[in-house]
Amino acid sequence: MTKMTTEQDRVLIFDTTLRDGEQSPGATMTHNEKLEIAGLLDEMGVDIIEAGFPIASEGDFQAVSEIAKLAKTSVICGLARANPADIDRAWEAIKHAKRPRIHTFIGTSPLHRDMHGLDQDAMAERIHDAVTRARNLCDDVQWSSMDATRTEHDYLKRTVDIAIRAGATTINIPDTVGYTAPRESADLIRMLIAEVEGAEDVIFATHCHNDLGMATANSLAAVEAGARQVECTINGLGERAGNTALEEVVMALKVRNDIMPYRTRIDTTKIMNISRRVATVSGFPVQFNKAIVGKNAFAHESGIHQDGMLKNSETFEIMRPEDIGLTETNLVMGKHSGRAALRAKLRNLGYELADNQLNDVFVRFKALADRKKEVYDDDLLALMRDTSMDGGVDRLQVKFLRVICGTEAPQSADLILSVDGKDHQVTATGDGPVDATFNAVKVLFPHEARLQLYQVHAVTEGTDAQATVSVRMEDGGLISTGQAADTDTVVASAKAYVNALNRLLVRRERVAPDTDVKSVSYKSVS
Ligand code: KIV
Ligand code: ZN
């Protein structure tokens, strides 16, 4: 029996970065990246990892089943709509986990009932059948009444009652469209716990989206009303405005334990590392002023703040950087720094490298140090964003780029691009160096993908600073984001563009694993 119970003051952390987070358009992760993130979640003390939606694709199924086999402590959960095929597939994927969980759901609000063409009674029957089927396969079953916050209270109580009677061990009350507000979120949980029979035998979960910027507040309000599982993602990754951010809930409960006396099992010193890894592998950068994990969250730049900080760090700091694993030492590296110093520095930043990976990073570090006198932590993190940690080889690689630009149009780009291991060269023109470069890529690798976003940020200060470029591309409804850094903005742009194309190819393979990728929407050059 794996039914989860919890003491009154313990809040279970359910992480859905790999499911709800990855569902976010463009947040593609490769198979190995998913395994890596699952390993980090398990290590940091996440109670339940929602590893994916096994029926969605063969790729999702494979990722969930491998995560299930590898997980050490966390419960591994697979998502399933309320139908037999989904539930059976989810069970197939998670059944080898030490602690498996099936999570089944249906939208219960009037809008969702209409969409399914089910009246209240027909949907009630569907819920009963789904939870019963899941419970016959697995002792640990989570039921979600999707769009609960827009479901009539009487009908919501009825769905929860049916799920409990059919054997659900966790009842999730999602705010699917980020519509609720803290007081309402608390009242809803309190009402369900008070009025549904058997509520005291199950765990109530809160699952909030951030459309109105209230996801964390709504989740904490639900906890105060009796919810004992918070569903969240690293960096708040998720569709639209995202999900509740794990780091915000966990740190709020830690820092304000005086007024919210609840415990989690999370090792908070692992937060910064996993935040960086999720930002890198998902291609979704963390906004500078994001609570807890933003670049500026612990930076005190104004004169008044710096003065106060020097006298007493508690003047402006409510938590210590080291509490989330942010190391104080911004030890500057330079071209005389050796391999051992680089390894130690990267370990400090959360990267444990195999010898061959270190060799590769060391060569690129030296090249960077030749161009840039001082290499800061942020420079190294940018360098690591361009490092494949999963051993996979990208199909497209920028081998050489030279642009000619100036006041006279058109600008031109001379590019060598490796496509599936074979080098191709072209010179293309465009409206500016970046446009010329992207045109050159398109000549060598014709594709239909549309550029949706192009953004440049300086990694550190100074004219020799590296630029990080983010690119978002869309093709036939599939979206991918790419990032790259270089002291040369145009080189960073080329690499980011190619990175987004590589991710689009991976995504396309996952959606249609048996089709020839090129024949779907890409033509290669010979
Ligand atoms: O937001 C939502 O309602 C969901 C459900 C599948 C739980 O993600
Ligand atoms: Zn959700």
Side-chain angles (χ1 to χ4, degrees), residues 44-149:
M44 85 188 290
V46 161
D47 297 287
I48 305 112
I49 298 172
E50 186 160 57
F53 190 7
I55 203 156
S57 71
E58 183 56 28
D60 268 57
F61 180 87
Q62 293 302 342
V64 177
S65 61
E66 202 146 335
I67 290 168
K69 287 177 198 148
L70 294 175
K72 295 195 181 86
T73 314
S74 308
V75 171
I76 301 301
C77 175
L79 184 70
R81 286 165 299 190
N83 69 58
D86 273 44
I87 292 167
D88 294 354
R89 192 74 174 146
W91 173 241
E92 273 307 303
I94 58 163
K95 67 181 181 193
H96 296 298
K98 288 195 188 88
R99 306 168 71 199
R101 171 181 295 189
I102 298 175
H103 175 192
T104 183
F105 74 99
I106 198 165
T108 51
S109 64
L111 284 166
H112 283 267
R113 294 199 303 268
D114 278 358
M115 194 176 76
H116 288 289
L118 297 174
D119 64 15
Q120 292 195 349
D121 291 341
M123 185 166 278
E125 203 177 315
R126 180 95 166 253
I127 296 169
H128 171 267
D129 292 351
V131 176
T132 306
R133 189 176 190 100
R135 198 45 217 271
N136 282 336
L137 296 167
C138 185
D139 284 340
D140 187 346
V141 171
Q142 171 164 332
W143 166 255
S144 286
S145 293
M146 189 164 96
D147 207 13
T149 52

Side-chain angles (χ1 to χ4, degrees), residues 81-336:
R81 286 165 299 190
N83 69 58
D86 273 44
I87 292 167
D88 294 354
R89 192 74 174 146
W91 173 241
E92 273 307 303
I94 58 163
K95 67 181 181 193
H96 296 298
K98 288 195 188 88
R99 306 168 71 199
R101 171 181 295 189
I102 298 175
H103 175 192
T104 183
F105 74 99
I106 198 165
T108 51
S109 64
L111 284 166
H112 283 267
R113 294 199 303 268
D114 278 358
M115 194 176 76
H116 288 289
L118 297 174
D119 64 15
Q120 292 195 349
D121 291 341
M123 185 166 278
E125 203 177 315
R126 180 95 166 253
I127 296 169
H128 171 267
D129 292 351
V131 176
T132 306
R133 189 176 190 100
R135 198 45 217 271
N136 282 336
L137 296 167
C138 185
D139 284 340
D140 187 346
V141 171
Q142 171 164 332
W143 166 255
S144 286
S145 293
M146 189 164 96
D147 207 13
T149 52
R150 295 192 301 168
T151 302
E152 309 91 319
H153 284 191
D154 279 348
Y155 190 59
L156 183 63
K157 278 192 282 181
R158 184 171 166 202
T159 63
V160 170
D161 179 68
I162 293 166
I164 293 177
R165 284 176 199 275
T169 43
T170 299
I171 300 292
N172 183 28
I173 304 300
D175 182 29
T176 306
V177 291
Y179 178 69
T180 198
R183 193 174 336 129
E184 189 182 64
S185 171
D187 288 348
L188 191 60
I189 296 286
R190 204 174 286 116
M191 180 276 288
L192 290 168
I193 292 176
E195 296 183 24
V196 177
E197 217 184 297
E200 61 288 355
D201 298 329
V202 298
I203 289 177
F204 274 81
T206 176
H207 175 115
C208 298
H209 282 262
N210 204 29
D211 299 65
L212 290 172
M214 293 191 280
T216 298
N218 291 337
S219 302
L220 293 172
V223 167
E224 295 198 277
R228 286 295 174 268
Q229 175 176 302
V230 174
E231 307 208 352
C232 45
T233 59
I234 301 294
N235 299 340
L237 189 69
E239 276 187 277
R240 307 184 312 277
N243 289 60
T244 303
L246 178 147
E247 63 276 9
E248 292 176 14
V249 167
V250 168
M251 290 311 289
L253 292 179
K254 185 178 165 93
V255 173
R256 295 312 313 273
N257 201 257
D258 54 332
I259 54 165
M260 293 181 286
Y262 310 103
R263 291 179 301 119
T264 72
R265 207 170 58 86
I266 301 295
D267 175 354
T268 62
T269 64
K270 307 250 191 251
I271 284 177
M272 208 54 223
N273 179 31
I274 192 164
S275 162
R276 287 173 179 146
R277 287 304 292 148
V278 167
T280 301
V281 302
S282 68
F284 275 53
V286 174
Q287 78 192 50
F288 284 6
N289 58 341
K290 162 85 179 63
I292 318 294
V293 290
K295 189 172 149 73
N296 292 356
F298 289 91
H300 298 271
E301 273 190 35
S302 89
I304 300 170
H305 282 211
Q306 276 182 352
D307 187 44
M309 287 293 293
L310 288 174
K311 291 188 180 124
N312 180 357
S313 67
E314 281 179 25
T315 319
F316 288 104
E317 238 173 40
I318 57 167
M319 49 197 156
R320 295 169 309 158
E322 50 273 32
D323 291 343
I324 59 156
L326 198 59
T327 44
E328 278 275 23
T329 57
N330 198 1
L331 190 82
V332 180
M333 309 271 294
K335 65 176 173 192
H336 300 299

Side-chain angles (χ1 to χ4, degrees), residues 472-491:
R472 188 165 69 215
M473 318 263 290
E474 186 270 340
D475 182 31
L478 293 182
I479 295 178
S480 84
T481 46
Q483 276 184 16
D486 199 280
T487 49
D488 185 315
T489 309
V490 186
V491 172

